[in-house]
Amino acid sequence: MTDVARASASMNQLVEADDRQGGHASLATAALEARAKVLELQQRNASERVRRALYALAAEFTTIAAWSCIDLRDLDTAQTYLHESSTFAGLSQDPPTGMRVWVNMAMLAYQRKNWPEQLAAAQAANASPAARRDPFFGSMGRVRLALAHSSLGDLRAARRALGTAQETFRKAAEDERPRWTAFYGPAELNHLAAIILNRNGEPAEAEAMAHRALAKIPAEFQRNRALATCQLALAQLRQGEPEQATATAATVFTIMEGAPLPGRMRTLVGDFHRDLFRLAPSTTYARDWADRMRDEWSRT
């Protein structure tokens, strides 16, 4: 096995770990250690093709570290890593790698509540070479636009971009793509649609999309399944079904199988908790939920 192949196999293992558990400190550390090894290989004599492949891997490992920091809500560190990743992606001249960086920049801007930057990053992803050449990446860019428009309160633009993302995805061929893209398919598109519709004040449609997502999310994507379940619980709560929503939200802890909740997920669960106690503070199920939440939070 070549050095590049070994590094690629290591990257796939880290992506699989993220799919199961989400971002965590040990994942970020492992990604940075792997990046250091890849950059060491750059010091050897190598062809231009190999050098570009190594820069793409350096960008990938750095993006994994950044993504872990986003999940952990260590946003300043994530920002630093994403800037580094964008440099490596540029040197690699690899369109899918560049696309991944823009998508993560849009996600980081959302976590920072910097809506104009979120929109700018989504527009860059949508205009990227990868999005122009492949409807699969085109759909990924369009749904990021939809999320950005919903953050800015432009509900009509969000709906329009979401519809285009769904239509574009249907045109995507079953081509071989980088391992990190495995998360994006009909299930993830429905999950993101649930987020957009929840933000747009359309909880009934959001609930339907969350159910569709959960029906198709592969078992190994625990973190994505738990996040989609959070959206389902929020949609049910916003339709005046607090008891059902509470039962749904409790399954998030079961899905994660005792693993600490990533920071983004904790934020969603916290949002649910506040809304539940605003709507049904004195109910038995709300008190039971609060006890369960305290027990789960104490594990972290």
Side-chain angles (χ1 to χ4, degrees), residues 58-68 81-82 85 97 100-101 104:
E60 292 280 4
F61 284 125
T62 312
T63 303
I64 289 171
W67 171 247
S68 292
Y81 289 152
L82 279 179
S85 184
T97 301
R100 187 179 190 190
V101 173
N104 278 268

Side-chain angles (χ1 to χ4, degrees), residues 116-283:
E117 187 172 308
Q118 182 191 9
L119 178 61
Q123 289 170 331
N126 192 54
S128 69
R132 292 199 304 270
R133 295 173 190 174
D134 184 347
F136 177 90
F137 290 112
S139 173
M140 193 181 288
R142 281 289 177 179
V143 80
R144 287 294 149 195
L145 273 180
L147 287 159
H149 286 309
S150 69
S151 295
L152 287 163
D154 191 340
L155 309 189
R156 187 172 298 177
R159 267 283 196 175
R160 186 166 57 246
L162 175 60
T164 304
Q166 292 166 327
E167 181 182 347
T168 304
F169 185 82
R170 287 191 283 270
K171 300 175 183 176
E174 292 287 337
D175 293 338
E176 185 175 348
R177 298 182 179 90
R179 172 63 182 80
W180 68 265
T181 64
F183 81 96
Y184 192 71
E188 179 64 8
L189 189 50
N190 287 332
H191 171 209
L192 295 174
I195 294 173
I196 291 161
L197 293 165
N198 261 333
R199 290 186 198 164
N200 282 13
E202 301 173 82
E205 291 190 55
E207 180 180 7
M209 286 296 180
H211 279 299
R212 289 184 195 176
L214 288 165
K216 293 186 176 181
I217 294 174
E220 64 268 23
F221 287 86
Q222 286 172 277
R223 190 265 314 279
N224 288 21
R225 176 169 290 278
L227 286 168
T229 301
C230 288
Q231 293 299 325
L232 175 59
L234 286 167
Q236 291 169 337
L237 188 62
R238 290 165 185 173
Q239 291 177 84
E241 301 171 5
E243 187 169 7
Q244 177 60 54
T246 303
T248 299
T251 65
V252 170
F253 304 118
T254 305
I255 293 167
M256 293 302 290
E257 297 180 345
L261 301 191
R264 289 189 310 127
M265 199 179 299
R266 287 170 67 89
T267 298
L268 282 174
V269 171
D271 290 344
F272 175 85
H273 181 83
R274 284 189 294 274
D275 285 354
L276 174 63
F277 275 83
R278 180 173 51 81
L279 294 171
S282 58
T283 57

Side-chain angles (χ1 to χ4, degrees), residues 3-4 7 31-46 50-51 54-55 57-58 61 88:
D3 291 329
V4 172
L32 294 174
E33 288 174 352
R35 180 185 72 172
K37 292 177 182 177
V38 164
L39 293 177
E40 262 183 49
L41 295 174
Q42 284 285 10
Q43 305 307 312
R44 305 178 187 177
N45 291 327
V50 170
R51 287 193 180 281
L54 289 171
Y55 278 127
L57 284 166
F61 284 125
F88 294 132

